Amino acid sequence: MAQRAPIRPTTRIEEAIGFVGCFGVLFLGITVFCEVTGRPALAWALTLLVCVLGVLALNRWRTSVLRRTADAERAIVRTAAAAPVTIVHAAAEPTRHGADATRGADG
């Protein structure tokens, strides 16, 4: 089984921004086409406005999620930095010579 990378907390929000933004570009093209050809474009322009407001709302949500996770990471780093670090040196184990080395721990 392939290993997966951890999912960023903003992945779904970024996908939604791309989805709504794609439709925003589509509605922009339709609105410009209707304006150039003289057709009524008010409904298309209002739909474009909804898409733009949707992208702005999603972007604000993404920013708040990023800020929240950055604060949590900083708190973890601060806690780890404040913890005392103790270095323990392992005592040298005496070496076994002769018959003791071949017998093992049971004797």
Side-chain angles (χ1 to χ4, degrees):
M1 180 174 7
Q3 293 181 354
R4 293 189 199 177
I7 296 175
R8 293 187 343 226
T10 58
T11 301
R12 300 287 184 206
I13 301 170
E14 291 167 354
E15 290 173 359
I17 289 172
F19 184 76
V20 175
C22 178
F23 279 101
V25 170
L26 178 70
F27 290 132
L28 175 67
I30 293 171
T31 304
V32 169
F33 177 77
C34 288
E35 286 290 334
V36 169
T37 59
R39 296 181 179 165
L42 180 62
W44 295 113
L46 291 176
T47 308
L48 173 62
L49 177 65
V50 169
C51 285
V52 169
L53 293 176
V55 168
L56 289 175
L58 287 168
N59 193 28
R60 289 187 71 127
W61 183 23
R62 178 181 172 270
T63 304
S64 68
V65 169
L66 285 175
R67 218 177 268 136
R68 199 175 334 133
T69 55
D71 290 342
E73 288 175 1
R74 269 191 243 118
I76 291 170
V77 169
R78 242 185 273 128
T79 305
V85 177
T86 307
I87 299 174
V88 178
H89 295 284
E93 188 175 323
T95 58
R96 296 182 180 186
H97 297 286
D100 289 340
T102 58
R103 270 194 261 162
D106 293 337

